[in-house]
Amino acid sequence: MGIYLAGSTPDPGSFPAVFDHFVRALPHHRPARIALVLHTAGRDPAGALPAYVDPLGARIACEVVPVLLRQDGTAGAVRPASPTSFHNVDAVMVGGGLTPAYLAGLSGSGAEISRLVAGGASYLGFSAGAMVAPGAALIGGYRIDGVEVCDAGCSEGLDNVEVRAGLGLAPFTVDVHAAQAGTVSRAAGAVAAGLVDRMVALDEGTALVLATPENADYEVLGTGRCWDFRREDVAGGLPARGAAAVVSLHMAGHGT
């Protein structure tokens, strides 16, 4: 069992460690069954399968069960996956893309995925797949209280930074592409504003590994850092709206 949250989409050439560690937790006495959840905006998600399937097949005998999230032809919203898609699998892998689309697509399957992980199944989330994993999931946005906290290109189509109920697989919120996309400031801003009490922003080429969903301590894989922001109470209570909050930074990873 393990929960692996990666700060970017899969790149087995430059970041093989996350695949290496993930497959070690899978059954080796028979082909492992892995549910792979994918969404791609404006195109068939089946075209993205090789980027995730090929690295797995190079490491272990497995059966990949595609869970392809598609748009509803009439409303344009993402059709939720059936919880039965995750029956009798050894692990769940969730890809990168639009975080709100993945959250919508998994809206009816959170309980089933949580049950699987509690029973010993592993979870690997890349980028958006890492962001939807926590109980409190950051899904996008680039403003807090009308002030920009990161580039609008990281907004995922949302104006205000939004946190919604996620899959419940991590006790803190996660942001991704941290140093490379500048979302470190969004992570710090969300904690300072009281949207969440703790946020871990993951660099690209970096993943954190949790032993269980309740475990607040993690191992770091890869070449980058985990920017771990935690809100702290101050004497006299929390600061007034618009004032600077006390936020502690605990960096983990390469060079720390």
Side-chain angles (χ1 to χ4, degrees):
M1 176 184 176
I3 299 162
Y4 304 81
L5 307 180
S8 56
T9 50
D11 187 351
S14 64
F15 187 31
V18 69
F19 284 104
D20 293 340
H21 281 68
F22 177 65
V23 300
R24 288 174 194 164
L26 299 176
H28 286 253
H29 61 283
R30 58 171 173 79
R33 296 190 79 239
I34 304 167
L36 172 55
V37 184
L38 287 177
H39 174 272
T40 50
R43 57 191 178 91
D44 187 350
L49 284 169
Y52 299 85
V53 174
D54 291 351
L56 290 173
R59 288 168 169 80
I60 191 172
C62 61
E63 175 190 352
V64 175
V65 181
V67 183
L68 304 180
L69 304 179
R70 303 181 188 277
Q71 303 294 126
D72 188 305
T74 56
V78 174
R79 294 196 295 269
S82 170
T84 60
S85 303
F86 303 96
H87 287 180
N88 302 314
V89 300
D90 301 296
V92 177
M93 182 184 293
V94 181
L98 291 175
T99 307
Y102 278 98
L103 193 63
L106 294 173
S107 60
S109 301
E112 179 63 19
I113 294 173
S114 294
R115 184 192 65 78
L116 281 169
V117 173
S122 293
Y123 178 95
L124 171 54
F126 288 97
S127 190
M131 292 176 71
V132 301
L138 170 69
I139 62 163
Y142 73 108
R143 299 179 194 266
I144 296 176
D145 292 333
V147 179
E148 294 186 12
V149 292
C150 68
D151 187 82
C154 302
S155 70
E156 310 235 27
L158 301 173
D159 186 74
N160 295 316
V161 172
E162 291 191 29
V163 177
R164 300 180 188 172
L167 300 179
L169 302 182
F172 45 74
T173 307
V174 171
D175 208 337
V176 296
H177 307 289
Q180 292 75 20
T183 54
V184 173
S185 55
R186 179 168 67 182
V191 174
L195 299 180
V196 296
D197 290 328
R198 184 179 178 193
M199 176 91 73
V200 180
L202 307 173
D203 284 350
E204 295 180 5
T206 309
L208 65 79
V209 185
L210 292 167
T212 68
E214 299 80 20
N215 196 335
D217 297 322
Y218 52 83
E219 177 188 357
V220 180
L221 304 177
T223 57
R225 294 183 174 89
C226 295
W227 306 75
D228 192 331
F229 294 98
R230 308 176 194 188
R231 186 174 176 85
E232 298 180 353
D233 289 341
V234 295
L238 296 176
R241 184 180 182 88
V246 178
V247 177
S248 60
L249 169 61
H250 305 259
M251 294 174 63
H254 181 72
T256 61

